[in-house]
Amino acid sequence: MTQQQADFNQGLIDFLQASPSPAHAVNTMVRELEAAGFSELNESEAWQLQPGQGYWLVRGGRSIIAFRLGEQPVFDAGVRMIGAHTDSPCLKVKPNAELLHQGYLQLGVEVYGGVLMHPWFDRDLSLAGQIYFRNEAGKLQTALIDVKKPIAVIPSLAIHLNREANKNSEINAQLHLPPVLGLDASADTDANGKPNPSLVLREWLATWLRTAGHNVAEVIDYDLCFYDTQPPALVGLEQEFISSARLDNLLSCYTGLQALLSSKQPAATSLLVCNDHEEVGSSSATGAEGPFLESVLRRLSGDEQEYQRMMARSLLISADNAHAIHPNYADKHDENHGPKINAGPVIKVNANQRYATSSETSALFRHFCDLAKVPYQHFVVRSDMGCGSTIGPVAATKLGVRVVDVGAPQWSMHSIRETAGTKDAWYLGQALQAFFCEWDGD
């Protein structure tokens, strides 16, 4: 690993550690964009844009678009776009979450996305997300919360009580996943003086916010997820791997952001979009199937004819991690399409359009890799297995834009802790920089 690669990976580790929820990921990106001189835009206001200047806007606190306006008009040069997503499978706290079972205080959770459940047991869990509260003046406000310290655990059932655990251990999300926060804490009472456990979480959140300096009269609502407090780490005899939560897909958010920041004086407009809700289908106002990206592109183009000319000249790289071949389960891959870790970014192909890659866009991405002098690989799912999907087909269908689906190879996708290669994030980042900075559009 070169020093440049080591520095890049350290930046990725810092980004992962600072981003335990989609809202935190967006906030972390905003801080980097502001430090690089990008300016905030508001969707409700008129825009006055200057070529060469960078801009960003956030929708819902969990999706972000950032771009640097090129020197050439967008209808002549098109827009070079990278798309990723800020969300990861997790356990989200329910609105009325408090549970009292056998003298223990627990929180009810809802499974978000395709969670691999077993790895969530026996982890040191914390909470992060968005809080909506009313201050002493009666005004509704919002704040981010990251508790950081371990406050909960989902204990496994001892093998002595389930002798078949290693053969067949079914998890019931309603019954078996509520994390334990502590012993019965139902000292709060309702108007009739009876124990009211529903007050516990909101009062605890209000106290946390006050300690952090917020003027809180009452917590009204929240969007909270549990996460593993174990920090990201470099793993392997030669530190070949990076192990962390949320590699899918914060790795792509980080590499896309670094590529955008490197495009100092682009001829063509460079854009990064990181949507929420990819893990649950993208159908929301902030998801890829919503109008967020299209509305920004239409404002950049000016009118319908220029918009259509711009889209015909544009390309979107959908960056979302790929399945690396697993040495213990190699038969789960097509023998000619099993990507290896640290062998370069993966071009994802599916004849049934679960990925939006075409032969044209695949050739273009190979060209970007050649410009960056990095290797590349291909992934095609076994013909007798189903295939996952990404924001790529959604963007291609909604916008009519050319799309290529790519990603860094990784193991343990959708686990609480995933593994990727220390070279692959760097390789992907170099290819994305070549797309923004070196490609002449032909």
Short mmCIF file of all heavy atoms in Angstrom, two decimals, residues 131 133 143-145 204-216 219:
data_model
loop_
_atom_site.label_atom_id
_atom_site.label_comp_id
_atom_site.label_asym_id
_atom_site.label_seq_id
_atom_site.Cartn_x
_atom_site.Cartn_y
_atom_site.Cartn_z
N ILE A 131 -33.16 14.08 15.59
CA ILE A 131 -34.15 14.34 16.64
C ILE A 131 -34.91 15.62 16.29
O ILE A 131 -34.31 16.61 15.86
CB ILE A 131 -33.48 14.54 18.01
CG1 ILE A 131 -32.57 13.37 18.35
CG2 ILE A 131 -34.53 14.76 19.10
CD1 ILE A 131 -33.29 12.10 18.67
N PHE A 133 -37.38 18.39 18.09
CA PHE A 133 -37.77 18.79 19.44
C PHE A 133 -38.35 20.20 19.44
O PHE A 133 -38.12 20.99 18.51
CB PHE A 133 -36.57 18.71 20.40
CG PHE A 133 -35.44 19.66 20.06
CD1 PHE A 133 -35.37 20.93 20.62
CD2 PHE A 133 -34.42 19.27 19.18
CE1 PHE A 133 -34.33 21.79 20.31
CE2 PHE A 133 -33.37 20.12 18.87
CZ PHE A 133 -33.33 21.38 19.44
N ALA A 143 -31.95 18.35 15.38
CA ALA A 143 -30.53 18.19 15.72
C ALA A 143 -30.12 16.76 15.42
O ALA A 143 -30.95 15.84 15.41
CB ALA A 143 -30.27 18.53 17.18
N LEU A 144 -28.82 16.58 15.20
CA LEU A 144 -28.26 15.24 15.05
C LEU A 144 -27.81 14.73 16.40
O LEU A 144 -27.35 15.50 17.25
CB LEU A 144 -27.07 15.26 14.09
CG LEU A 144 -27.35 15.62 12.64
CD1 LEU A 144 -26.08 15.51 11.81
CD2 LEU A 144 -28.44 14.74 12.05
N ILE A 145 -27.93 13.42 16.58
CA ILE A 145 -27.48 12.80 17.81
C ILE A 145 -26.62 11.59 17.47
O ILE A 145 -26.96 10.80 16.59
CB ILE A 145 -28.67 12.38 18.70
CG1 ILE A 145 -28.17 11.76 20.02
CG2 ILE A 145 -29.60 11.44 17.98
CD1 ILE A 145 -29.29 11.51 21.03
N TRP A 204 -34.76 10.66 28.00
CA TRP A 204 -33.32 10.41 27.92
C TRP A 204 -32.71 11.20 26.76
O TRP A 204 -31.64 11.80 26.90
CB TRP A 204 -33.08 8.91 27.73
CG TRP A 204 -31.63 8.52 27.83
CD1 TRP A 204 -30.96 8.18 28.95
CD2 TRP A 204 -30.69 8.45 26.76
NE1 TRP A 204 -29.64 7.89 28.66
CE2 TRP A 204 -29.45 8.06 27.32
CE3 TRP A 204 -30.76 8.68 25.39
CZ2 TRP A 204 -28.30 7.89 26.55
CZ3 TRP A 204 -29.62 8.52 24.63
CH2 TRP A 204 -28.41 8.14 25.21
N LEU A 205 -33.40 11.24 25.61
CA LEU A 205 -32.92 12.00 24.46
C LEU A 205 -32.89 13.50 24.77
O LEU A 205 -31.94 14.21 24.39
CB LEU A 205 -33.81 11.74 23.24
CG LEU A 205 -33.76 10.32 22.66
CD1 LEU A 205 -34.85 10.16 21.60
CD2 LEU A 205 -32.39 10.03 22.07
N ALA A 206 -33.92 13.98 25.46
CA ALA A 206 -33.95 15.40 25.82
C ALA A 206 -32.77 15.76 26.72
O ALA A 206 -32.12 16.80 26.54
CB ALA A 206 -35.27 15.74 26.51
N THR A 207 -32.48 14.91 27.70
CA THR A 207 -31.34 15.15 28.58
C THR A 207 -30.04 15.16 27.80
O THR A 207 -29.17 16.00 28.02
CB THR A 207 -31.29 14.07 29.68
OG1 THR A 207 -32.50 14.13 30.44
CG2 THR A 207 -30.10 14.28 30.60
N TRP A 208 -29.89 14.22 26.86
CA TRP A 208 -28.67 14.15 26.04
C TRP A 208 -28.50 15.44 25.24
O TRP A 208 -27.41 16.00 25.17
CB TRP A 208 -28.74 12.95 25.09
CG TRP A 208 -27.42 12.64 24.42
CD1 TRP A 208 -26.49 11.74 24.81
CD2 TRP A 208 -26.91 13.25 23.23
NE1 TRP A 208 -25.42 11.74 23.95
CE2 TRP A 208 -25.65 12.65 22.96
CE3 TRP A 208 -27.38 14.23 22.37
CZ2 TRP A 208 -24.87 13.01 21.86
CZ3 TRP A 208 -26.60 14.60 21.27
CH2 TRP A 208 -25.37 14.00 21.03
N LEU A 209 -29.59 15.92 24.63
CA LEU A 209 -29.53 17.13 23.83
C LEU A 209 -29.21 18.36 24.68
O LEU A 209 -28.45 19.24 24.26
CB LEU A 209 -30.85 17.34 23.08
CG LEU A 209 -31.13 16.36 21.94
CD1 LEU A 209 -32.57 16.51 21.45
CD2 LEU A 209 -30.17 16.59 20.78
N ARG A 210 -29.79 18.42 25.88
CA ARG A 210 -29.48 19.55 26.76
C ARG A 210 -28.01 19.55 27.13
O ARG A 210 -27.37 20.61 27.18
CB ARG A 210 -30.36 19.49 28.01
CG ARG A 210 -31.85 19.71 27.75
CD ARG A 210 -32.66 19.66 29.03
NE ARG A 210 -34.09 19.61 28.75
CZ ARG A 210 -34.90 18.60 29.06
NH1 ARG A 210 -34.41 17.55 29.73
NH2 ARG A 210 -36.18 18.63 28.75
N THR A 211 -27.47 18.37 27.40
CA THR A 211 -26.05 18.26 27.74
C THR A 211 -25.19 18.73 26.57
O THR A 211 -24.11 19.29 26.77
CB THR A 211 -25.69 16.81 28.10
OG1 THR A 211 -26.52 16.39 29.19
CG2 THR A 211 -24.24 16.68 28.50
N ALA A 212 -25.68 18.52 25.34
CA ALA A 212 -24.95 18.95 24.14
C ALA A 212 -25.16 20.42 23.81
O ALA A 212 -24.64 20.91 22.81
CB ALA A 212 -25.36 18.09 22.95
N GLY A 213 -25.94 21.12 24.63
CA GLY A 213 -26.10 22.55 24.47
C GLY A 213 -27.38 23.00 23.80
O GLY A 213 -27.54 24.19 23.49
N HIS A 214 -28.32 22.11 23.57
CA HIS A 214 -29.58 22.48 22.92
C HIS A 214 -30.62 22.87 23.97
O HIS A 214 -30.69 22.28 25.05
CB HIS A 214 -30.11 21.32 22.08
CG HIS A 214 -29.22 20.94 20.94
ND1 HIS A 214 -29.18 21.65 19.76
CD2 HIS A 214 -28.32 19.92 20.81
CE1 HIS A 214 -28.31 21.09 18.94
NE2 HIS A 214 -27.78 20.05 19.56
N ASN A 215 -31.44 23.85 23.60
CA ASN A 215 -32.54 24.31 24.46
C ASN A 215 -33.76 23.44 24.16
O ASN A 215 -34.50 23.68 23.20
CB ASN A 215 -32.83 25.79 24.17
CG ASN A 215 -34.01 26.32 24.96
OD1 ASN A 215 -34.58 25.63 25.80
ND2 ASN A 215 -34.37 27.56 24.71
N VAL A 216 -33.99 22.42 24.96
CA VAL A 216 -35.02 21.43 24.67
C VAL A 216 -36.09 21.46 25.76
O VAL A 216 -35.80 21.28 26.94
CB VAL A 216 -34.41 20.01 24.61
CG1 VAL A 216 -35.50 18.99 24.29
CG2 VAL A 216 -33.31 19.94 23.56
N VAL A 219 -38.95 16.45 23.40
CA VAL A 219 -38.64 15.72 22.17
C VAL A 219 -39.95 15.30 21.52
O VAL A 219 -40.79 14.66 22.17
CB VAL A 219 -37.74 14.50 22.45
CG1 VAL A 219 -37.65 13.60 21.22
CG2 VAL A 219 -36.36 14.94 22.90
#
